Amino acid sequence: MKNSSLKKFIEAVPKSEIHLHIEGTFEPNLMFEIAKRNNIKIKYSSVDEVKEAYRFNNLQEFLDIYYAGANVLITEQDFYDLTWAYLTKASSQNVRHVEIFFDPQTHTERGVSFSTVVNGIYKALEKGEKQLGITFRLIMSYLRHLSEEAAFETLEQSLEYKNWIDGVGLDSSEVGNPPEKFEQVFKASSEKGYKLCAHAGEEGPSEYIWSALKNLKVDRIDHGNRCLDDKELVKYLAKTQIPLTLCPLSNLELKVIQDLKKYPLKNMMSENLLVTINSDDPAYFGGYMNENFFAISEALDLAEIEVATLIKNGFKATWLSEDKKEWWCNQVDEVLKKQPVNT
Ligand code: ADE
Ligand code: ZN
């Protein structure tokens, strides 16, 4: 990016990441390595060929490739390696707290046990906290293209690992699978002590955001771009400060928006929405946290103070304690104070 002092600030400042699918961090190199050791043939012959295939016109085209990629993950070691690779990358970008999604059904549907998946991921997260100092929360996402009954089975399987899992989410093909389809399983999940969030208003309409809020009773909306279509909803989100976890490069790659210069981030900020920046599926969308910040800052000509607000929002929107949130926001301000003033 052109503004080198802003670039340095983005790199130096501690960040959180709260909208990240661990299966979406599967880099082609690691995919080839794991496929080889599991004796699985993949349909691409080189990393370049894989990257060539990553051109999407919509969410579904991406999901088809993303689920195919996840097919090579079989053993606990595979899930561990996947998670560890993400954490080392996050650490190199000064990401200090993560709240990551995993999709149990993507794996249990093809015969990999829930325990294999969660053990691999959790062990890497624990090591990441000890060795890299990255704190974490773990969120299991229900796949919305499957039935509510299937989600209930996943909830049941998760209970043995309740101490490791902090919340539930809802992802996959949005249009045609509105939040209310999962009302009962979200209610049951909440009763078991899980926190709640859901993808809504990525490709789906603003009504899906209302439904996630009112029927699922989530306390965080993943994406939520389409809220701007509804003035009452914007007012409600501003008043409640329910966070939106935005993912600029994802939205660009999935053609949710056509041009980052038209990304309505400044409108959202001026409406006092608690918006955060995240990478979603960085191995597929061309960038981790810093690249998302570089791209959106450049496209919208953001000032350091605006970037700092977004980063503090990222901590405020976490499931950390209020004390911890405040501590991290102060850390962000400390780094900001050390920056040369932009004229
Ligand atoms: N699963 C992984 N990434 C997703 C996205 N951006 N939207 C819905 N489901 C997903
Ligand atoms: Zn997502």
Side-chain angles (χ1 to χ4, degrees), residues 35-297:
K36 193 168 166 208
R37 77 182 181 214
N38 288 339
N39 272 319
I40 295 175
K41 258 197 111 44
I42 43 181
K43 70 180 203 181
Y44 310 105
S45 57
S46 67
V47 168
D48 284 346
E49 216 179 283
V50 178
K51 295 247 154 153
E52 196 54 35
Y54 292 178
R55 287 173 203 273
F56 315 110
N57 291 304
N58 53 46
L59 175 59
Q60 193 58 51
E61 285 187 15
F62 154 69
L63 289 170
D64 293 343
I65 288 193
Y66 161 91
Y67 293 131
N71 277 341
V72 310
L73 298 164
I74 308 286
T75 66
E76 186 179 311
Q77 186 70 42
D78 300 342
F79 289 94
Y80 176 91
D81 290 348
L82 175 72
T83 309
W84 184 249
Y86 164 66
L87 290 169
T88 52
K89 181 75 187 178
S91 176
S92 77
Q93 296 203 341
N94 248 322
V95 173
R96 309 292 298 280
H97 176 74
V98 298
E99 302 192 350
I100 69 171
F101 297 117
F102 73 115
D103 287 345
Q105 291 158 295
T106 299
H107 314 297
T108 53
E109 284 255 301
R110 53 190 181 83
V112 177
S113 73
F114 191 100
S115 77
T116 299
V117 179
V118 75
N119 268 301
I121 295 171
Y122 193 79
K123 284 178 187 168
L125 286 169
E126 268 192 318
K127 181 172 149 192
E129 180 155 348
K130 278 200 200 93
Q131 290 194 5
L132 307 170
I134 300 179
T135 52
F136 65 89
R137 297 286 185 273
L138 184 56
I139 309 168
M140 103 182 152
S141 257
Y142 300 125
L143 296 183
R144 69 201 307 158
H145 66 272
L146 301 178
S147 66
E148 186 177 50
E149 195 188 347
F152 263 111
E153 279 168 31
T154 303
L155 172 59
E156 199 54 42
Q157 289 165 355
S158 76
L159 295 178
E160 202 181 322
Y161 300 95
K162 222 167 88 26
N163 290 343
W164 290 359
I165 300 169
D166 299 277
V168 304
L170 184 67
D171 64 5
S172 193
S173 322
E174 186 180 12
V175 175
N177 295 297
E180 60 269 23
K181 179 177 161 187
F182 295 92
E183 186 170 344
Q184 295 309 318
V185 76
F186 266 65
K187 184 166 181 279
S189 303
S190 172
E191 284 165 3
K192 293 292 180 193
Y194 288 129
K195 295 184 76 69
L196 311 174
C197 58
H199 284 53
E202 179 184 17
E203 281 189 345
S206 52
E207 286 80 7
Y208 282 29
I209 303 176
W210 274 126
S211 178
L213 295 168
K214 300 290 181 189
N215 297 313
L216 304 188
K217 303 187 168 41
V218 299
D219 56 22
R220 198 155 77 197
I221 295 283
D222 295 308
H223 295 294
N225 310 41
R226 294 287 297 276
C227 71
L228 292 175
D229 298 345
D230 181 332
K231 281 204 171 91
E232 282 307 307
L233 179 55
V234 170
K235 255 200 235 162
Y236 181 83
L237 289 168
K239 184 167 145 246
T240 55
Q241 290 290 285
I242 288 178
L244 304 181
T245 64
L246 305 176
C247 306
L249 288 178
S250 163
N251 292 160
L252 185 66
E253 291 302 312
L254 300 186
K255 314 282 189 292
V256 168
I257 50 146
Q258 306 311 317
D259 182 353
L260 275 189
K261 287 194 161 53
K262 300 207 177 94
Y263 205 82
L265 182 68
K266 286 196 179 183
N267 312 6
M268 289 172 154
M269 291 175 83
S270 66
E271 294 284 0
N272 196 30
L273 301 185
L274 191 71
V275 285
T276 70
I277 300 293
N278 307 272
S279 74
D280 205 5
D281 301 283
Y284 292 87
F285 302 145
Y288 287 75
M289 282 297 278
N290 285 357
E291 290 77 21
N292 270 273
F293 272 107
F294 297 156
I296 199 67
S297 303

